[in-house]
Amino acid sequence: MSKAKILVVEDEWIIANDIKDSLISMGYMVSGIAASSDEAMARVEECQPDLVLMDIVLKGQKNGIETVKDIQARYDIPVIYLTAYDNQYLVDQAKLTDNLGYLLKPFKDRELHIAIELALHKRAR
Amino acid sequence: MSLFILLLIGLPIAVIAALFLLFFELNLRLGKQLIDKGFALEGEITERQKAQLEAETSLSERELLLSEIHHRVKNNMQIVSSLLRMQSRRSDDPVTQSILDDSRSRVSAMALIHETLYKPANLSSVSLQEYINELTLNLFDSYGVDPERITLVTDVESISLNIETATPCGLIINELVTNCLKYAFPGKRSGVITLSLKRNEIDKGYLLRIADNGVGLPEDLDIRQTRSLGLQLVINLTENQLQGKVEVQRGDGVAYLVAFSEINYVRRL
């Protein structure tokens, strides 16, 4: 199987690059980094990733959950949320979208790796 | 004659009637006063309820703000940690990598304090059980230690400390557990690290003990003379920051005993 392409949506550039490094060291391909909802939509259209890692707090008007709704209205791409916020309201909102995981930052590389493998596996079946 | 009778009967009736009127008037006034007072009282109750609600709102707003600040402090520390990790990944020199990884681990230990603090109902004190659990999990993970090879046994009493005490205490635990993970079990050697934190009833302080059954410290190592930043941190944070005492016991492996008390500050918030 070819390397899975992953899009990282994260508003903090440094955190996004740290995640990108981790993903590369796990053997995935990073198809891009987006800091806002608009950028995320553009990257999805451009490169149709196999998976999106989505932060909830983003630059601009739309948050990560709204962005996922927009993406999923047009594409069938699995999503894992990565966020530092664990308040119940956001978790409930996130549940309403078709997502395959909710990882709390800071996460361990191993946790991220397992979450991605599970998500890709579920999607492949 | 008839006038006299009329007066005789009429006068008392008039007097009684006047008395009645007076009584009614009085009653009416009293009633009115009572109603007025009632209204005033009701108004006062509403005022007080409003004030209480305002006080409660401002308290919860304050807590929300404080929680948000801890969140942001943690996020910023997380960014520092990411920077150190990125730098470490870009280095080809194992010594440099190890220095950067140790620094990252220290920043993460401090970030974790803020993470424990922003959870609701926890704004001013850190639950050590929760903290130690998370911290040691992170350490095993970041030093890539198999928990089957090195087992960690913890015995931590339910203790909460203020942030001024919890931060140095967290760093001390970070250094000592890291030392055990890095040096006590070289190669494939397996063993046990025990960590206990208990109240010391005699001086109302706390006693932290971190021990391993590994190879032990080198014979000639004087923990007060070593150049290792980790041990220097342990000694100085204990003795100069927490006004505590450190003792090292050599035997089957090594045991560190750290006695300290909570530092008291005047409440600033």
Side-chain angles (χ1 to χ4, degrees), chain A residues 3 8 12 17-18 24 28 41 43 48 56-58 63 68 77 81 100 111 120:
Chain A
K3 286 182 181 179
V8 180
E12 292 283 355
N17 268 270
D18 186 24
I24 291 170
Y28 300 113
M41 278 311 283
R43 294 282 160 287
Q48 312 244 336
I56 288 185
V57 176
L58 295 178
N63 70 20
V68 169
I77 297 174
Y81 287 107
L100 291 166
E111 286 171 1
L120 293 173

Side-chain angles (χ1 to χ4, degrees), chain B residues 10-219:
Chain B
L11 204 65
I13 291 173
V15 169
I16 291 165
L19 274 171
F20 258 109
L21 271 174
L22 199 71
F23 179 73
F24 267 119
E25 173 67 16
L26 247 155
N27 231 354
L28 213 67
R29 278 195 199 176
L30 271 173
K32 204 167 161 288
Q33 268 184 11
L34 212 64
I35 289 167
D36 285 351
K37 279 269 191 283
F39 272 127
L41 215 61
E42 215 168 287
E44 198 174 322
I45 290 169
T46 324
E47 280 298 308
R48 287 195 182 196
Q49 279 174 338
K50 221 175 104 192
Q52 194 184 349
L53 198 71
E54 272 168 15
E56 278 168 10
T57 316
S58 90
L59 190 72
S60 68
E61 268 171 9
R62 205 199 87 186
E63 284 178 351
L64 210 66
L65 280 174
L66 213 55
S67 153
E68 180 62 22
I69 287 170
H70 282 304
H71 210 139
R72 290 186 185 199
V73 171
K74 187 213 83 172
N75 281 355
N76 280 346
M77 288 185 153
Q78 220 48 62
I79 291 176
V80 177
S81 158
S82 281
L83 279 171
L84 292 167
R85 184 154 69 170
M86 284 160 75
Q87 190 73 73
S88 162
R89 281 184 175 134
R90 277 160 181 74
S91 164
D92 299 322
D93 175 24
V95 178
T96 312
Q97 275 181 356
S98 141
I99 291 168
L100 290 166
D101 292 345
D102 288 351
S103 305
R104 194 194 61 77
S105 142
R106 286 170 190 138
V107 174
S108 298
M110 291 178 70
L112 192 57
I113 294 271
H114 291 273
E115 193 180 333
T116 338
L117 276 171
Y118 69 64
K119 301 203 169 129
N122 248 17
L123 286 167
S124 55
S125 65
V126 181
S127 150
L128 267 285
Q129 274 176 328
E130 193 185 331
Y131 177 79
I132 288 173
N133 196 8
E134 197 63 30
L135 176 74
T136 49
L137 268 173
N138 287 350
L139 286 174
F140 271 72
D141 201 73
S142 55
Y143 287 101
V145 177
D146 177 4
E148 302 268 301
R149 182 171 71 89
I150 304 177
T151 350
L152 177 75
V153 180
T154 56
D155 178 12
V156 180
E157 280 181 19
S158 164
I159 290 169
S160 282
L161 296 173
N162 59 22
I163 185 167
E164 292 87 353
T165 313
T167 307
C169 182
L171 281 171
I172 291 166
I173 297 170
N174 186 68
E175 296 312 319
L176 292 176
V177 174
T178 301
N179 258 11
C180 296
L181 290 176
K182 282 172 83 173
Y183 307 116
F185 309 102
K188 293 213 182 312
R189 187 176 166 136
S190 62
V192 181
I193 299 172
T194 53
L195 188 167
S196 71
L197 178 62
K198 301 196 161 179
R199 278 189 189 77
N200 185 349
E201 293 305 336
I202 304 158
D203 63 355
K204 300 279 166 239
Y206 302 95
L207 190 64
L208 169 74
R209 182 176 185 277
I210 296 179
D212 66 59
N213 59 355
V215 293
L217 293 175
E219 286 284 322

Side-chain angles (χ1 to χ4, degrees), chain A:
Chain A
M1 199 183 112
S2 65
K3 286 182 181 179
K5 279 187 298 182
I6 300 175
L7 172 67
V8 180
V9 187
E10 160 69 61
D11 65 327
E12 292 283 355
W13 186 88
I14 292 168
I15 300 282
N17 268 270
D18 186 24
I19 295 172
K20 182 183 167 187
D21 281 356
S22 296
L23 293 174
I24 291 170
S25 73
M26 290 172 201
Y28 300 113
M29 237 177 78
V30 176
S31 57
I33 289 175
S36 69
S37 182
D38 293 345
E39 258 185 82
M41 278 311 283
R43 294 282 160 287
V44 167
E45 275 168 32
E46 213 174 272
C47 52
Q48 312 244 336
D50 300 305
L51 177 80
V52 177
L53 296 183
M54 180 68 72
D55 187 10
I56 288 185
V57 176
L58 295 178
K59 283 183 197 161
Q61 297 304 309
K62 286 186 177 169
N63 70 20
I65 298 169
E66 289 161 330
T67 309
V68 169
K69 283 182 193 157
D70 287 355
I71 294 174
Q72 289 180 342
R74 298 170 56 189
Y75 301 94
D76 182 27
I77 297 174
V79 171
I80 295 174
Y81 287 107
L82 295 180
T83 177
Y85 288 84
D86 63 349
N87 79 52
Q88 198 52 46
Y89 174 74
L90 285 178
V91 177
D92 288 343
Q93 289 293 302
K95 269 192 209 153
L96 297 176
T97 58
D98 180 18
N99 74 87
L100 291 166
Y102 197 100
L103 281 187
L104 272 187
K105 289 191 279 193
F107 49 85
K108 297 170 187 72
D109 275 6
R110 208 155 33 93
E111 286 171 1
L112 179 62
H113 199 170
I114 292 168
I116 294 174
E117 285 302 301
L118 277 174
L120 293 173
H121 179 72
K122 270 189 202 161
R123 225 7 99 107
R125 275 193 308 178

